[in-house]
Amino acid sequence: MRKVAALAAAVTIGAGLLTACSGGDYCGDLKNYAESAKNLDIKDSDAVGKMLDQAKSVSKSAPDDLKDDWKTVIDYAEKAQDAKGDTGKLTELAKNDGEKITPAMDAITKQAKDSCKVDLGA
């Protein structure tokens, strides 16, 4: 069950976005992503799908050095959506792919703070 909680935390880390971004489309897209990820229930595949749509939008406007990180986030979220709320599948996803999502979100979080002046939190 802890792994499911870790999965939910990794997918929703963007929910900590605070106020307005500056710096163009990427920052605006990042803010929209954060709104879709806020209070995300990882077991709700429809909600994960909405967050996934926003993540795809952000990835298109992301700086080149973050494209791979956003691909990792999208791949992870797609697998979470495909699990359709199945706790066993979500736990397996966290076990198999959990180590990939953390460095990707760390890079995204750092860039959000540096370029958009947004603190994504821990």
Side-chain angles (χ1 to χ4, degrees), residues 7-84:
L7 169 68
V11 173
T12 63
I13 197 166
L17 276 174
L18 299 175
T19 58
C21 292
S22 63
D25 292 336
Y26 177 69
C27 292
D29 290 342
L30 192 61
K31 184 177 179 183
N32 291 336
Y33 165 78
E35 286 300 314
S36 69
K38 187 182 264 183
N39 300 318
L40 181 72
D41 178 358
I42 196 69
K43 293 180 183 179
D44 181 346
S45 62
D46 289 336
V48 172
K50 289 176 185 174
M51 182 274 305
L52 181 57
D53 289 342
Q54 289 298 322
K56 288 177 181 179
S57 178
V58 174
S59 73
K60 291 176 186 173
S61 63
D64 289 341
D65 60 330
L66 290 180
K67 295 283 187 188
D68 289 341
D69 296 311
W70 276 107
K71 182 179 180 340
T72 299
V73 170
I74 290 167
D75 290 347
Y76 198 82
E78 285 175 339
K79 291 175 185 177
Q81 184 182 31
D82 290 344
K84 298 188 186 311

